[in-house]
Amino acid sequence: NHDDDDNDDDDDNNDDNKIEEERYLIKWAELSHLHCTWEKKEHILDQCGNAKPRLRLFHEKCGEDGCRYDESIRGDGEFYDDRILQVERILDIQEVDNDDEECEEVAQEEKESRDRGGGRQFLVKWCALSYSSSTFEYEHDLVSMNVSYEAHVESFLKRSQKPTLAMRKKDLLQHERKARLMTKIFRNSTSASATSSFMPMSKSKMNKNAHKKDRENKNEDDD
């Protein structure tokens, strides 16, 4: 029993000795929200030239829970809208340049850990963000952070596929069929318009108009 009491006292002492440390969740410029980090205030002030106005703006706009965005903007996310961590579209795929030692190391690391896509980088358009917020992401980062992207890669490769001769012929035939159809529709509409504007006159009405004109001419001669 004495031992238990001593352990409880130690736990209480450990709790009392714990020091709370204030950190800020930082979204870094030109990086996606996948790469947000928790930083101390002094580190932020030391590393970022525009840190002071940014921190002041944060404290002016953060809520009681210490978050920059309220629940209506965060949605189901704890700090921001989780949709901005979802891939909407892959805009480009690049292979790592093996002449760059740093990139070569990344490519080698990926080849050791995975059998597909060694050294690939994707230009990612994120959900709920504009195209100007698109970022390049290493494939192994997306994998390690459980970001779904494979279907978007397949879609990009399909869009980027060079058409074969058979595909070009098929597209040409479809274009020609559409052109013939449009020509036929135009001719039919033109013919219908011309028919409706031509009003045939009966024989009796034509004779009546002719007699009327003759009388008018005779009156002019008498004058």
Side-chain angles (χ1 to χ4, degrees):
N1 290 336
H2 289 294
D3 291 339
D4 292 339
D5 292 338
D6 292 339
N7 290 334
D8 291 339
D9 292 338
D10 291 340
D11 291 339
D12 293 337
N13 291 331
N14 289 334
D15 291 338
D16 293 337
N17 292 331
K18 287 181 179 179
I19 300 175
E20 291 187 0
E21 187 176 64
E22 186 177 56
R23 289 176 180 257
Y24 295 84
L25 182 62
I26 304 300
K27 161 64 174 68
W28 298 102
E30 299 182 7
L31 293 178
S32 70
H33 285 74
L34 291 177
H35 307 284
C36 291
T37 58
W38 290 96
E39 302 291 341
K40 296 180 181 179
K41 183 177 181 179
E42 54 267 28
H43 291 168
I44 300 172
L45 294 172
D46 182 56
Q47 297 175 20
C48 307
N50 61 345
K52 285 186 177 181
R54 296 277 185 174
L55 289 171
R56 183 173 62 252
L57 180 64
F58 169 78
H59 286 292
E60 289 175 356
K61 295 192 174 183
C62 69
E64 295 179 357
D65 55 0
C67 288
R68 169 66 174 78
Y69 304 108
D70 58 31
E71 293 182 0
S72 63
I73 299 177
R74 297 199 310 260
D76 295 331
E78 185 175 0
F79 303 106
Y80 43 73
D81 191 344
D82 279 348
R83 291 182 301 164
I84 60 181
L85 297 179
Q86 299 173 9
V87 177
E88 179 180 324
R89 189 180 180 92
I90 297 293
L91 304 178
D92 190 19
I93 298 179
Q94 295 184 359
E95 295 292 336
V96 170
D97 185 0
N98 291 327
D99 294 334
D100 190 320
E101 294 182 359
E102 181 180 356
C103 291
E104 185 177 0
E105 180 180 351
V106 172
Q108 184 63 29
E109 178 185 345
E110 183 165 313
K111 289 178 181 178
E112 292 175 357
S113 60
R114 304 172 62 246
D115 294 331
R116 67 180 189 279
R120 290 194 297 182
Q121 275 187 316
F122 306 131
L123 180 58
V124 179
K125 161 69 173 69
W126 300 100
C127 293
L129 293 177
S130 65
Y131 277 87
S132 62
S133 299
S134 300
T135 57
F136 275 102
E137 303 291 339
Y138 282 110
E139 185 171 8
H140 59 72
D141 284 339
L142 299 180
V143 172
S144 64
M145 298 181 185
N146 297 320
V147 178
S148 177
Y149 69 96
E150 291 89 345
H152 300 286
V153 172
E154 293 179 4
S155 178
F156 170 81
L157 295 176
K158 186 176 181 180
R159 295 195 309 270
S160 305
Q161 184 180 9
K162 186 177 180 180
T164 62
L165 180 60
M167 295 170 62
R168 291 198 296 269
K169 287 183 177 179
K170 183 179 179 180
D171 291 340
L172 180 61
L173 289 174
Q174 291 179 347
H175 178 74
E176 290 178 347
R177 282 197 292 268
K178 289 181 179 179
R180 287 196 296 269
L181 178 61
M182 293 302 297
T183 301
K184 184 177 180 181
I185 294 174
F186 177 76
R187 286 177 178 174
N188 291 340
S189 61
T190 303
S191 176
S193 176
T195 302
S196 61
S197 62
F198 175 71
M199 299 295 294
M201 189 178 297
S202 64
K203 185 175 181 180
S204 59
K205 190 171 184 179
M206 291 175 63
N207 291 335
K208 183 177 180 181
N209 290 341
H211 290 312
K212 182 178 180 181
K213 189 172 183 180
D214 289 340
R215 286 195 301 272
E216 291 176 352
N217 292 335
K218 185 176 180 181
N219 292 334
E220 291 178 357
D221 294 339
D222 293 340
D223 293 339

